[in-house]
């Protein structure tokens, strides 16, 4: 009798197949419920780090102003020259990287330049251009502050993928309209940007003259004039000229590091995220964050093929102007759900939803528009 009981008890210790399947099903359900929460927590951490990066950028322009008599860094030195992404390097603990770069002007083939910098005499590109070999080599180092953890790590390339360097996740605010050549600037700096002729009939589709925090030189002049311009304060916006107040004016926002369409161009990169170059360094607030309206770029090589979208959430078209001038408009975009992180001129960072009122968004982009903003 005891032996029989013992055998019966031993037989009952195992799981039946049905019980095992039920347990596995419960575990699967728990994992299914837990994974979204884990992913949400990770994205929250990434978004927080992204916000911290923007705060560092905001702080850097304040430090620049402290060191330059209240002047903010230049937005860009024309299309093919360096941008804010280079000029603020010393203020985000990247002095060593900045020191390797050809920032000051020197003629192509020079062996020396400003501050005793030694140049490669075999380099056929003049100093100060983003594509000069010394600058390309320096930019091969991905700067952590320039990369949002939620974004991908894509490459910007010129003359093919073998000559590439990292794209970045942030752009400077270029105002409420677009970036373009202001025909009467004549070798001067302009913080007024043309609006594109959008056919939507919007009454705000006019030339804005309320500026932004960063200026851009649309014409530099002859090589002999460039050295003096580079050494001047041309293009640096004064803090005292920001009549709307730094806390009411956008400085930086996120962008998406787009993929490159090799079928469209095997030599040039999709320009978005390549902020070393002037036309890619800015975003416009003409449309809201993560707009479904396409970004407008100046060259077919800087965009994806017309019949496909290489990067999800980043529509793109080639701008064709009837005025015979280049005009570029790119919206703030991010890989966060529902909006973008953006930094104001005072260094504060806020998350702006995709549904933000476009009039508020445009008002935030101007430095002296006189608007009352309540986002």
């Amino acid at each position: 009798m005891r032996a029989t009981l013992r055998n019966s008890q031993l037989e009952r210790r195992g799981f039946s197949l049905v019980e095992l399947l039920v347990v596995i099903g419960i575990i699967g359900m728990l994992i299914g419920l837990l994974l979204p929460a884990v992913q949400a927590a990770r994205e929250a951490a990434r978004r927080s780090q992204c916000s911290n990066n923007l705060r560092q950028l905001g702080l850097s322009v304040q430090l620049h102003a402290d060191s330059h008599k209240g002047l903010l860094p230049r937005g860009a030195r024309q299309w093919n020259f360096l941008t804010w992404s280079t000029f603020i390097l010393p203020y985000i603990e990247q002095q060593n990287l900045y020191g390797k770069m050809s920032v000051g002007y020197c003629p192509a083939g020079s062996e020396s330049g400003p501050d005793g910098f030694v140049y490669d005499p075999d380099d056929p590109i003049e100093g100060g251009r983003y594509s000069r070999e010394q600058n390309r080599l320096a930019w091969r180092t991905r700067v952590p502050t320039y990369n949002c953890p939620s974004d991908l790590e894509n490459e910007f390339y010129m003359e093919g993928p073998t000559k590439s360097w990292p794209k970045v996740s942030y752009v400077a605010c270029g105002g409420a309209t677009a970036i373009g050549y202001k025909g009467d600037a004549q070798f001067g700096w302009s913080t007024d940007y043309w609006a594109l002729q959008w056919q939507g009939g919007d009454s705000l589709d006019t030339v804005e003259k309320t500026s932004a925090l960063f200026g851009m030189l649309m014409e530099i002049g002859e090589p002999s004039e460039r050295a003096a311009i580079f050494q001047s304060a041309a293009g640096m916006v004064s803090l005292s000229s920001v009549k709307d107040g730094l806390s009411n004016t956008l400085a930086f926002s996120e962008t998406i590091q787009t993929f490159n369409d090799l079928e469209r161009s095997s030599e040039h990169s999709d320009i978005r995220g390549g902020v070393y170059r002037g036309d890619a360094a800015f975003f416009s607030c003409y449309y809201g964050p993560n707009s479904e309206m396409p970004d407008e770029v100046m060259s077919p090589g800087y965009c994806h093929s017309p019949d496909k979208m290489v990067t999800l959430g980043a529509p793109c078209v080639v701008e064709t102007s009837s005025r015979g001038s280049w005009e570029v408009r790119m919206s703030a975009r991010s890989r966060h759900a529902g909006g973008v992180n953006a930094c104001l001129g005072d260094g504060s960072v806020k998350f702006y939803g995709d549904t933000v009122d476009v009039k508020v968004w445009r008002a935030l982009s101007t430095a002296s528009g006189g608007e009352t903003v309540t986002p």
Side-chain angles (χ1 to χ4, degrees):
M1 184 68 176
R2 291 179 181 176
T4 302
L5 287 173
R6 252 189 226 104
N7 291 337
S8 175
Q9 290 170 349
L10 288 173
E11 290 173 0
R12 292 176 183 175
R13 288 179 182 175
F15 288 101
S16 68
L17 179 60
V18 173
E19 290 172 328
L20 182 60
L21 292 175
V22 169
V23 170
I24 292 174
I26 293 172
I27 293 173
M29 289 176 61
L30 292 174
I31 293 174
L33 293 171
L34 185 61
L35 278 179
V38 172
Q39 291 172 346
R42 287 177 176 174
E43 169 55 19
R46 289 192 291 264
R47 199 173 102 179
S48 177
Q49 180 57 51
C50 187
S51 176
N52 288 337
N53 289 346
L54 280 165
R55 193 169 288 108
Q56 289 298 312
L57 298 186
L59 178 61
S60 72
V61 298
Q62 295 290 333
L63 293 174
H64 185 283
D66 289 344
S67 302
H68 292 82
K69 300 180 180 179
L71 298 174
L72 298 170
R74 300 171 177 87
R77 290 172 174 159
Q78 208 223 27
W79 303 120
N80 292 311
F81 287 79
L82 297 172
T83 72
W84 61 265
S85 60
T86 296
F87 306 142
I88 68 170
L89 286 174
Y91 307 102
I92 57 171
E93 299 181 351
Q94 293 292 333
Q95 179 64 51
N96 289 339
L97 181 61
Y98 182 84
K100 297 176 182 178
M101 303 184 74
S102 170
V103 178
Y105 175 78
C106 72
S110 298
E111 295 185 8
S112 62
D115 302 319
F117 193 96
V118 177
Y119 291 91
D120 180 358
D122 296 326
D123 195 331
I125 301 176
E126 61 189 338
R129 286 185 179 263
Y130 83 100
S131 56
R132 188 176 174 89
E133 192 66 17
Q134 285 153 293
N135 295 335
R136 283 201 224 190
L137 292 174
W139 279 123
R140 287 301 304 153
T141 302
R142 186 175 285 276
V143 179
T145 308
Y146 288 166
N147 204 88
C148 175
S150 297
D151 201 2
L152 302 177
E153 294 187 358
N154 289 330
E155 295 283 305
F156 176 90
Y157 64 84
M158 180 180 174
E159 300 175 17
T162 57
K163 291 188 176 181
S164 66
W165 55 106
K167 290 188 175 184
V168 309
S169 303
Y170 307 106
V171 278
C173 182
T177 55
I179 310 160
Y181 171 56
K182 191 173 185 301
D184 57 358
Q186 292 300 316
F187 309 118
W189 288 81
S190 173
T191 53
D192 300 337
Y193 303 114
W194 285 105
L196 299 184
Q197 291 300 310
W198 182 53
Q199 299 302 314
D202 191 332
S203 62
L204 292 179
D205 186 33
T206 56
V207 176
E208 285 284 353
K209 295 185 177 179
T210 49
S211 73
L213 291 183
F214 302 98
M216 178 173 175
L217 178 61
M218 310 312 295
E219 286 267 355
I220 288 182
E222 297 301 319
S224 59
E225 300 173 309
R226 291 177 182 168
I229 293 175
F230 278 20
Q231 294 171 6
S232 71
M236 297 183 184
V237 175
S238 170
L239 289 176
S240 61
S241 69
V242 185
K243 298 177 182 178
D244 290 354
L246 293 175
S247 61
N248 291 320
T249 307
L250 289 169
F252 298 101
S253 183
E254 296 179 81
T255 189
I256 290 177
Q257 295 183 33
T258 52
F259 292 106
N260 297 313
D261 184 358
L262 295 178
E263 295 180 12
R264 178 67 178 251
S265 174
S266 60
E267 294 185 352
H268 295 95
S269 173
D270 185 312
I271 199 73
R272 294 169 294 175
V275 303
Y276 327 98
R277 179 186 162 98
D279 51 339
F282 303 92
F283 74 100
S284 164
C285 287
Y286 191 79
Y287 302 121
N290 295 311
S291 173
E292 294 181 1
M293 295 299 292
D295 295 331
E296 296 162 273
V297 300
M298 69 168 64
S299 170
Y302 300 155
C303 196
H304 54 66
S305 302
D307 57 345
K308 64 181 178 180
M309 187 185 298
V310 176
T311 304
L312 186 65
C316 180
V317 296
V318 178
E319 189 277 321
T320 54
S321 171
S322 61
R323 288 196 288 272
S325 59
W326 288 330
E327 295 160 335
V328 176
R329 176 186 287 144
M330 289 181 278
S331 298
R333 302 186 186 278
S334 82
R335 298 189 187 277
H336 309 303
V340 299
N341 285 313
C343 175
L344 296 162
D346 63 353
S348 61
V349 178
K350 297 179 181 179
F351 187 79
Y352 293 93
D354 295 341
T355 57
V356 63
D357 188 304
V358 70
K359 292 182 179 179
V360 171
W361 187 238
R362 291 175 183 175
L364 284 167
S365 72
T366 62
S368 55
E371 309 96 338
T372 300
V373 180
T374 307

